Amino acid sequence: MRYIIFILTLFLLTIMVSAQQLTQTIKGKVVDQDSEVPLPYVNVVLLDTDPIIGSTTDDNGNFILENVPVGRYSLQVSFIGYESVIVTELIVSSSKVSYVEISMKENAVSLGEIVIKPRLHKEKVLNKMATVSARMLSVEEAKRYAGGFDDPARLASSFAGVASGVNSNAIIVRGNAPKSLQWKMEGIEIPNPNHFADLTGMGGGALTALSGQLLANSDFFTGAFPAEYNNALSGVFDIFMRTGNNEDYEHTLQVGVMGIDVASEGPFKKGKNASYLFNYRYSTFGLVGQITNANEGIDYQDLSFKLNFPTKKAGVFSVWGLGLIDGAKVKIKDSEERYYSSDKEDYDAKQFMATTGINHKIFINDKSLLKTTLATTVSGIDWKIKRLDAQEELLPQSNIENTTWNFVLNSSLNTKISKKHTNKIGFTVTGMQYNILLEDALVSGTPLTTITDETGFSTLLSAYSSSAIHINNRLTVNMGLNAQLFTLNNNFTIEPRIGAKWQWTTNQQIGFGYGLHSRLERLNYFFTRDALTGEFNNQDMDFTKAHHFVLSYSNNLSKNLLLKVEPYYQILFNVPVVANSSFSFINLRDNWFINDKFENTGKGRNYGVDITLEKYLTKGYYFMLTTSLFNSEYTGGDGIWRNTRFNMNYLFNLLGGREWNLGKNKQNVLGLNIRLTYQGGERFTPYKLGESIIAEEVVFDETNAFSQQIDPAFIAHFTASYRINKKNTSHEFALKVLNATSYGDFQGFQYNFIEQTVDENRETIMIPNLSYKIEF
């Protein structure tokens, strides 16, 4: 209640708004799409302004538009010999300079007097080698979309082909397990960057540690990704940090139900080009627990930063980092409330993750850009569970102590050989140092059995070459090759990638993509030992692999309305399974303590169609409707085709919003946004009630694995915000409601000791985050 009173008080103090016309500055940079070389003398114009506001880029490709009234704009850039580009949904507030980076594609063939329709920047992805199944993730969208919760992972679940829950932001891409997704930051694979990652399910977490205050626009891939991406099976989240303002100091403070958020950026010294940018966030679920009945013994904090150091002749150096620390405790319930095993457990989990790196980029000439990154990542978990036995004695039930360090060297050379051909080559060396201890009481009340206890070092090597060939101004072909080698067992894979996109008509585009992709399973599974011989069971385990086939059709039905359809087929193979059983890593979500012998004989297939109808934010409103119809099947060690755990069959999203400009000079903004999701339920394995009662734990019928399905889920999210723009300052009051329909996520089954039944385990979390933010 104190938080709410504080926020309302701030609102009353700032409700009186100046009638003065407020303006701000837009800065940006225009580069060649293929070479990334800055483009001078490009025309830059803000559309629909009177008088017209425009400028041209300088020798370094930079431009400045001054005295721009606050509001939303579309910005057009044009240059002789290049395709014109329109940047939409560009927001200008009174508190911060707006900055935009724009890439332009050189025409492959001279056009003479022919005029080509400008391309919308929103429809382009950052990676020029991508042809299908790629979407640029806008930071502005992450802040605006309902259910995004300033979390890129939750925002991605509104895209076609992507599903997620409420309690976890784990991303299910086209029926694949969340653990198959790769997270990248600044070109480096990083550990799962979510708070409480892997505690409720591998590949997910509660909330992201990636702050919208720090992120730049990024790419999200759902299939057939370009050749530079290795060790990814279902999708890639390719994230970048923006560079801080190198001329003026800008700060942000946000206070809300979820905690506090502080960000700052600016030059190290005025008049110099070096800049800093950082964000710190601390939160406690204490107050939220009072509202939602969530556990109160949970807290988290994270820190992210980027330091940028341009030089005159040696290129640009940057130092960046991200780190998080989590803690969660659950106490044993009172005796009359101990229905389930989890009610008898004392649970203590500590978790941390960090990554930091040094980037360097330098133009060797006006055609070639060399980028090099040296980085370190670390992730660790200390998770202990104790359980009461029949004599009310608290005994260890499980123990996880894992710490993994990665030391990464990554380098790439991008060369624009001609206006028709661009090539990118590169390599990555990832050294993995691990310290893994997994112990479990295989039968409750018995001493802990060691599943894995291993310390060591292994290396993953990867190299690639990728080319974009512009046959003409309408047809582009991308092709490449990726190879990787895992030194622990010397397993290797060579993976071809190819894609093409054809501008069929002015408004219609057709695309095709194919790729062979693979991913290592988690290191702990390589070091399980045979209970009798003590020998390693699975050190020879190979990469899990998949062929991706994708077709794509897009149609600009109008200037601001896009229809996109993508049918796809994925063939998974080399999947680890247990012989003569229904078990497969395809369905793996939360089981740490597996010590079976695996064999890479499992298969899988995912096929379906993703449909998106999107109306961009113009005239104060936007909407996006996504539909996914799919099927996901697998074979275990017994060779029988079954539904996968994640075979939901259908997924529908409808999100939209409206903005109103209020105040005497229409300088304040009221925004309302909503998202509705209707999706099929996850599959589950039926249980045997009679055997469960005898064993006093859930016994499943594994011969009918994942043959049943829970009821469909209907989930709604809502966001309301009011931004007050004042001179050099803005205030925003927001209410972001996650899971307004109070849908309970299905977590499996648990045995009820008191009723002697098997009950569904569902967790219902509805979070109303009321917040106040000031930018100055």
Side-chain angles (χ1 to χ4, degrees):
M1 183 59 70
R2 288 178 297 174
Y3 284 93
I4 297 175
I5 294 174
F6 175 67
I7 293 170
L8 293 177
T9 302
L10 289 174
F11 176 79
L12 294 174
L13 292 174
T14 57
I15 198 65
M16 299 304 294
V17 181
S18 170
Q20 176 185 0
Q21 176 69 59
L22 299 176
T23 63
Q24 187 52 272
T25 299
I26 299 176
K27 295 182 180 181
K29 188 169 189 174
V30 183
V31 300
D32 181 282
Q33 172 183 291
D34 294 321
S35 68
E36 300 185 37
V37 170
L39 294 177
Y41 315 122
V42 176
N43 293 315
V44 182
V45 177
L46 275 186
L47 301 179
D48 303 320
T49 56
D50 186 17
I52 294 176
I53 300 174
S55 180
T56 58
T57 59
D58 62 18
D59 290 340
N60 296 315
N62 299 313
F63 68 87
I64 299 177
L65 302 177
E66 297 179 316
N67 299 316
V68 180
V70 298
R72 281 192 185 272
Y73 294 92
S74 292
L75 183 150
Q76 179 169 312
V77 295
S78 57
F79 189 47
I80 296 175
Y82 284 76
E83 293 183 5
S84 296
V85 176
I86 295 178
V87 179
T88 61
E89 303 180 4
L90 179 61
I91 187 168
V92 177
S93 70
S94 61
S95 57
K96 288 190 174 185
V97 171
S98 296
Y99 184 82
V100 58
E101 292 189 3
I102 306 166
S103 62
M104 300 185 72
K105 178 185 175 183
E106 186 176 10
N107 294 318
V109 179
S110 178
L111 299 176
E113 299 298 322
I114 298 175
V115 177
I116 297 294
K117 179 182 177 182
R119 288 194 300 165
L120 292 182
H121 188 260
K122 184 179 177 67
E123 297 169 9
K124 297 171 59 179
V125 293
L126 302 179
N127 192 307
K128 54 185 171 287
M129 302 292 179
T131 54
V132 295
S133 300
R135 163 97 188 205
M136 184 183 75
L137 189 148
S138 161
V139 174
E140 191 275 333
E141 289 174 340
K143 295 178 180 179
R144 170 164 45 99
Y145 284 179
F149 233 57
D150 295 335
D151 182 342
R154 292 186 183 274
L155 170 63
S157 66
S158 63
F159 300 154
V162 184
S164 186
V166 176
N167 294 8
S168 171
N169 61 7
I171 300 174
I172 300 168
V173 180
R174 292 178 171 173
N176 289 285
K179 68 180 180 63
S180 300
L181 179 79
Q182 182 191 74
W183 293 88
K184 298 194 77 169
M185 174 170 282
E186 295 290 313
I188 300 298
E189 181 175 2
I190 62 173
N192 186 335
N194 292 304
H195 290 286
F196 309 105
D198 305 331
L199 293 186
T200 57
M202 295 170 182
L207 291 169
T208 184
L210 304 168
S211 170
Q213 303 291 344
L214 205 80
L215 296 184
N217 290 342
S218 304
D219 283 342
F220 183 70
F221 298 91
T222 56
F225 0 106
E228 68 182 82
Y229 298 104
N230 72 301
N231 200 34
L233 195 67
S234 67
V236 178
F237 221 138
D238 197 2
I239 298 164
F240 297 93
M241 292 183 172
R242 67 183 180 88
T243 300
N245 191 327
N246 63 359
E247 294 184 359
D248 299 300
Y249 298 100
E250 297 176 338
H251 315 285
T252 301
L253 172 64
Q254 179 170 295
V255 182
V257 169
M258 300 293 290
I260 63 171
D261 198 322
V262 180
S264 180
E265 62 183 288
F268 282 104
K269 185 178 181 181
K270 287 227 174 185
K272 304 294 183 181
N273 290 325
S275 65
Y276 74 88
L277 172 63
F278 81 87
N279 185 90
Y280 172 74
R281 181 167 44 184
Y282 173 78
S283 182
T284 173
F285 281 102
L287 180 58
V288 177
Q290 298 174 22
I291 299 173
T292 66
N293 295 320
N295 194 295
E296 297 183 27
I298 296 176
D299 63 80
Y300 67 81
Q301 55 187 315
D302 56 64
L303 173 70
S304 48
F305 67 89
K306 185 175 183 180
L307 315 177
N308 198 59
F309 305 97
T311 67
K312 291 183 178 180
K313 295 183 178 181
V316 178
F317 294 86
S318 59
V319 181
W320 53 272
L322 169 71
L324 64 86
I325 300 175
D326 302 328
K329 292 184 178 181
V330 177
K331 297 298 182 183
I332 298 170
K333 291 187 177 181
D334 294 335
S335 57
E336 64 275 9
E337 298 177 344
R338 297 174 190 162
Y339 291 87
Y340 311 109
S341 294
S342 58
D343 298 334
K344 303 177 181 182
E345 292 178 347
D346 185 280
Y347 170 120
D348 187 1
K350 300 180 181 67
Q351 197 165 14
F352 64 89
M353 171 268 178
T355 179
T356 185
I358 301 174
N359 291 354
H360 176 244
K361 64 179 182 178
I362 185 170
F363 286 99
I364 298 175
N365 51 47
D366 61 354
K367 298 292 185 180
S368 299
L369 174 63
L370 177 65
K371 294 182 179 178
T372 303
T373 300
L374 184 63
T376 299
T377 74
V378 62
S379 60
I381 182 171
D382 184 353
W383 185 7
K384 294 177 173 56
I385 297 177
K386 297 179 180 180
R387 182 182 296 174
L388 287 176
D389 65 3
Q391 289 73 42
E392 296 287 303
E393 183 179 357
L394 194 60
L395 300 175
Q397 178 62 32
S398 64
N399 179 39
I400 301 175
E401 297 178 21
N402 280 4
T403 302
T404 302
W405 289 84
N406 285 353
F407 306 96
V408 187
L409 172 63
N410 171 280
S411 188
S412 66
L413 177 64
N414 185 89
T415 303
K416 185 176 181 179
I417 298 171
S418 69
K419 62 182 180 180
K420 287 191 172 185
H421 182 198
T422 299
N423 177 261
K424 185 176 183 180
I425 58 174
F427 70 88
T428 302
V429 180
T430 304
M432 307 173 181
Q433 180 177 311
Y434 42 84
N435 190 347
I436 306 171
L437 175 62
L438 300 176
E439 299 175 307
D440 185 49
L442 302 180
V443 177
S444 185
T446 62
L448 294 179
T449 297
T450 299
I451 306 297
T452 303
D453 185 3
E454 189 67 20
T455 298
F457 189 92
S458 299
T459 304
L460 180 64
L461 305 173
S462 174
Y464 67 90
S465 177
S466 184
S467 284
I469 302 173
H470 308 297
I471 307 298
N472 52 45
N473 292 328
R474 293 186 179 274
L475 177 62
T476 297
V477 176
N478 296 326
M479 61 181 66
L481 199 67
N482 186 294
Q484 53 182 344
L485 168 70
F486 187 37
T487 62
L488 177 69
N489 50 27
N490 291 323
N491 283 328
F492 69 93
T493 175
I494 299 175
E495 303 170 359
R497 318 280 172 86
I498 188 169
K501 51 186 176 182
W502 176 40
Q503 195 69 41
W504 181 21
T505 68
T506 302
N507 296 321
Q508 299 179 83
Q509 186 179 90
I510 297 174
F512 163 77
Y514 162 76
L516 173 60
H517 306 281
S518 63
R519 185 166 177 82
L520 284 177
E521 298 297 343
R522 300 174 72 98
L523 286 176
N524 56 283
Y525 298 120
F526 287 85
F527 300 110
T528 58
R529 293 180 182 271
D530 185 274
L532 297 177
T533 66
E535 298 293 326
F536 287 117
N537 277 337
N538 300 301
Q539 275 206 348
D540 59 346
M541 187 164 55
D542 203 352
F543 295 88
T544 299
K545 300 180 181 181
H547 295 288
H548 289 196
F549 301 88
V550 183
L551 294 176
S552 178
Y553 169 77
S554 62
N555 189 336
N556 289 97
L557 302 175
S558 68
K559 181 179 179 180
N560 296 295
L561 184 63
L562 174 68
L563 171 67
K564 189 170 186 178
V565 181
E566 283 199 342
Y568 63 89
Y569 198 101
Q570 299 178 354
I571 303 172
L572 285 75
F573 63 103
N574 239 39
V575 182
V577 296
V578 176
N580 303 314
S581 81
S582 61
F583 175 86
S584 170
F585 268 60
I586 280 179
N587 302 304
L588 192 60
R589 182 169 64 183
D590 55 7
N591 194 340
W592 290 81
F593 306 106
I594 308 174
N595 62 349
D596 295 279
K597 169 66 177 176
F598 307 128
E599 56 183 35
N600 288 98
T601 59
K603 299 177 182 179
R605 58 192 179 206
N606 304 317
Y607 53 91
V609 59
D610 296 335
I611 304 172
T612 300
L613 180 65
E614 182 174 10
K615 192 269 180 186
Y616 306 138
L617 179 53
T618 56
K619 298 182 180 179
Y621 75 98
Y622 72 94
F623 67 81
M624 182 166 68
L625 173 65
T626 66
T627 300
S628 298
L629 305 174
F630 63 96
N631 201 40
S632 178
E633 300 171 320
Y634 83 102
T635 64
D638 55 9
I640 299 174
W641 283 99
R642 297 181 172 91
N643 293 301
T644 69
R645 179 194 298 272
F646 307 104
N647 189 17
M648 301 174 179
N649 292 130
Y650 56 87
L651 171 64
F652 305 99
N653 277 304
L654 174 62
L655 64 157
R658 184 76 166 88
E659 288 185 349
W660 293 268
N661 294 99
L662 306 175
K664 186 173 181 180
N665 291 309
K666 306 297 183 182
Q667 59 201 25
N668 304 325
V669 182
L670 172 65
L672 298 177
N673 302 275
I674 191 170
R675 173 183 164 192
L676 305 176
T677 298
Y678 185 74
Q679 64 188 33
E682 283 191 6
R683 303 280 175 165
F684 67 88
T685 301
Y687 56 85
K688 301 177 179 179
L689 181 58
E691 294 183 25
S692 298
I693 293 174
I694 296 172
E696 292 192 323
E697 64 179 15
V698 183
V699 177
F700 293 98
D701 181 7
E702 298 293 349
T703 60
N704 292 300
F706 305 108
S707 60
Q708 298 186 21
Q709 188 173 22
I710 63 173
D711 293 335
F714 177 68
I715 306 169
H717 311 294
F718 172 76
T719 297
S721 64
Y722 186 60
R723 174 181 283 267
I724 301 171
N725 285 301
K726 302 183 72 174
K727 187 175 181 179
N728 300 323
T729 307
S730 68
H731 308 265
E732 182 179 87
F733 301 87
L735 175 62
K736 300 181 179 182
V737 181
L738 190 69
N739 192 23
T741 47
S742 297
Y743 174 76
D745 269 347
F746 176 72
Q747 303 293 319
F749 294 96
Q750 49 190 351
Y751 182 75
N752 188 321
F753 294 101
I754 296 178
E755 303 293 336
Q756 291 191 322
T757 58
V758 174
D759 299 339
E760 282 190 2
N761 180 15
R762 288 185 178 265
E763 293 186 10
T764 302
I765 293 182
M766 190 275 285
I767 302 178
N769 185 29
L770 182 64
S771 65
Y772 163 74
K773 179 168 68 177
I774 180 172
E775 296 179 333
F776 58 97

